[in-house]
Amino acid sequence: MTHRRQYNPLVRRQPAVAALLVAVMLGTGIRADAGPQAPARVPAPATAAPSSAARQMQIAFDLAYNLDHEQAAAVLEQGMRDHPDDAALPRAHATLTWLNLLFRRGMVLVENYLGPVSKDDVKVAAPPTAANSAFQTQVARSIALSEAQLKRRPNDPAAMFELGSALGLQASWSATIDGRVMGAFGAARRAYNLHERVMTASPQRVDAGLIVGTYRYLVASLILPARWLAYMAGFGGGKEKGLSLIQAAANYPSLSQTDARFALVLLYNREGRYPAAQAQLAELRRVYPRNRLLWLESGATYLRAGKPAEAEAILSEGLRMLAVDKRPRMLGEDGHWYYERGMARVRLRRAADAIADLTQALQYEQLGWVRARTYLELGKAADLAGNRQGAIAEYVKAQQAAVKAGDADAAAQARRYASAPYRGA
């Protein structure tokens, strides 16, 4: 039995458009003209004083992708003081603010973005005032500097790329943080057009294909009436064309390369191309060995592919990393790790081990849909252990939690297994 797609029901109406720059999981959106991506290495300390904006961007890039967010922010703040006219630095800082807020909300995993694509607005909690102010200040600064640069050099691909990237970031915040998907439309359309112009003016700049390809994929995923509206507004479509553009960006040595790889992890999971997603994750783990969430993503992808043994092994490795990592946790992170490994152990029919993990998961704070799924897996494990009465009690809790979280699929599964025992794959 393969792992069913599981996602935060609150994002079910939000995503793919909610990932207007689709590398929402961990990406920094750092500019692509700052030089080739460096090989994996221990991040430089935040006290380093590079002589160029490009070098500061590179250091911040490595720190951010290794989950050292505070150090990355310090490097970018120093960079903005050293290079006040560089539009990429405030954009990178704004992106880091966005990333940190998604992290604190527990919204940086693939599972949060596997729902159907929708253009509808959603109701979300207002962002903290300080984070919202910091983001708006820095993204406005980046846009203003980019607009001025483009006014001086109207046909400069680098100026077009920078402005398009800043506008894409603004659209992403609007969709994911404010819940205003339609409000993101104008900035998204302009970002798309600018990056299409980059590829026309400078065909070797395939890094611009990340935004263009992402929007093409999203438009192709919309229902027909919404798709026609997008076409009329100037967006192109085509899933395969979109994927090919992102793949080219992922193979291009630039500071957008990692963003493109994260985008492919998400899109390959959406398409059920799990070996391709694992290939990207393996490379990301190699380059960013301090990013423990890559191990969590890898385990979840193995589960979707119906490979619980591989999932259990890599999740166990990740849990060992987690135990010694004292840095801040994503909202609900500890409980999510044990939920995922518990689910793998249910699939392996290791009932006692699964119950231990799932019971441990409930000791931590969890997102509502994860808690509902944890109860569901506990019911399955109890059924495998021959404890039918205990299993029914867990299914009842799963259904109650699923209804509260708006997870109709989990509620349906709970009703099903309360009526007939779970027998395994």
Side-chain angles (χ1 to χ4, degrees):
M1 178 178 178
T2 57
H3 177 55
R4 299 193 63 164
R5 288 204 283 189
Q6 298 171 22
Y7 45 87
N8 185 337
L10 297 178
V11 191
R12 203 180 284 175
R13 296 170 58 230
Q14 179 178 332
V17 176
L20 290 169
L21 177 57
V22 90
V24 302
M25 294 177 291
L26 302 164
T28 58
I30 293 173
R31 71 179 179 190
D33 60 343
Q37 179 174 315
R41 59 182 179 273
V42 177
T47 55
S51 59
S52 70
R55 178 62 179 155
Q56 285 165 306
M57 295 283 283
Q58 178 70 74
I59 292 172
F61 178 89
D62 287 344
L63 289 166
Y65 276 122
N66 275 296
L67 299 185
D68 294 312
H69 296 160
E70 290 185 7
Q71 290 175 279
V75 171
L76 291 171
E77 286 160 8
Q78 181 62 52
M80 288 188 292
R81 289 191 291 270
D82 293 343
H83 309 280
D85 296 328
D86 190 300
L89 287 160
R91 176 168 60 85
H93 194 280
T95 306
L96 196 59
T97 300
W98 173 51
L99 169 62
N100 278 325
L101 186 51
L102 290 173
F103 186 85
R104 292 198 298 271
R105 289 181 171 183
M107 299 286 292
V108 295
L109 299 175
V110 162
E111 287 176 316
N112 297 118
Y113 300 93
L114 290 182
V117 178
S118 170
K119 65 180 180 60
D120 296 333
D121 289 351
V122 293
K123 185 176 181 180
V124 294
T129 301
N132 187 60
S133 177
F135 176 87
Q136 300 299 343
T137 297
Q138 298 302 340
V139 79
R141 179 182 177 186
S142 179
I143 290 172
L145 289 168
S146 300
E147 292 272 23
Q149 184 181 32
L150 191 59
K151 186 175 181 179
R152 291 192 299 271
R153 302 193 300 276
N155 298 314
D156 181 6
M160 288 185 274
F161 183 94
E162 189 54 51
L163 179 57
S165 297
L167 290 165
L169 173 60
Q170 187 179 56
S172 293
W173 177 279
S174 181
T176 58
I177 303 301
D178 296 332
R180 296 189 303 109
V181 175
M182 291 307 294
F185 195 77
R189 179 176 57 188
R190 194 174 177 205
Y192 175 91
N193 290 337
L194 282 162
H195 279 223
E196 273 208 322
R197 287 176 59 194
V198 171
M199 292 192 297
T200 299
S202 184
Q204 72 273 19
R205 289 293 302 270
V206 296
D207 48 326
L210 173 56
I211 280 182
V212 175
T214 295
Y215 293 158
R216 280 185 171 274
Y217 179 93
L218 299 185
V219 167
S221 302
L222 290 166
I223 60 173
L224 187 60
R227 198 184 319 153
W228 276 112
L229 286 173
Y231 291 152
M232 291 171 64
F235 286 99
K239 277 190 177 182
E240 288 305 316
K241 176 61 175 177
L243 280 170
S244 69
L245 288 169
I246 301 168
Q247 288 162 349
N251 291 325
Y252 182 74
S254 76
L255 288 179
S256 287
Q257 187 174 39
T258 297
D259 284 339
R261 284 175 175 156
F262 276 115
L264 288 175
V265 171
L266 172 55
L267 298 184
Y268 285 151
N269 268 282
R270 288 183 64 88
E271 295 297 310
R273 296 168 61 174
Y274 303 118
Q278 289 292 3
Q280 296 297 328
L281 284 163
E283 177 63 13
L284 289 166
R285 292 196 309 271
R286 183 190 70 81
V287 178
Y288 303 108
R290 286 170 50 76
N291 188 336
R292 61 184 184 269
L293 294 181
L294 292 168
W295 277 253
L296 183 57
E297 288 288 9
S298 299
T301 299
Y302 275 129
L303 279 168
R304 292 183 202 106
K307 295 186 174 183
E310 291 87 340
E312 199 270 348
I314 202 162
L315 289 166
S316 294
E317 183 181 352
L319 276 163
R320 289 190 291 272
M321 296 171 62
L322 186 72
V324 297
D325 194 338
K326 305 306 180 185
R327 294 176 298 170
R329 302 289 207 253
M330 175 187 73
L331 178 65
E333 182 179 342
D334 291 83
H336 203 112
W337 278 97
Y338 284 103
Y339 155 70
E340 294 281 357
R341 192 174 70 173
M343 182 161 40
R345 289 173 167 179
V346 168
R347 304 297 181 270
L348 292 169
R349 304 182 66 86
R350 291 165 50 185
D353 290 337
I355 289 169
D357 269 352
L358 296 164
T359 302
Q360 181 72 14
L362 293 172
Q363 304 306 307
Y364 296 101
E365 182 179 20
Q366 291 178 299
L367 298 180
W369 72 272
V370 178
R371 184 154 293 253
R373 299 277 175 161
T374 303
Y375 286 131
L376 181 62
E377 296 301 320
L378 266 172
K380 293 177 183 179
D383 265 337
L384 292 175
N387 180 6
R388 182 61 182 156
Q389 185 175 357
I392 291 173
E394 298 299 341
Y395 294 138
V396 169
K397 287 185 279 189
Q399 184 175 354
Q400 292 171 342
V403 169
K404 184 176 179 181
D407 189 343
D409 181 66
Q413 286 193 58
R415 289 192 298 271
R416 171 187 171 189
Y417 292 123
S419 300
Y422 174 77
R423 300 299 187 189

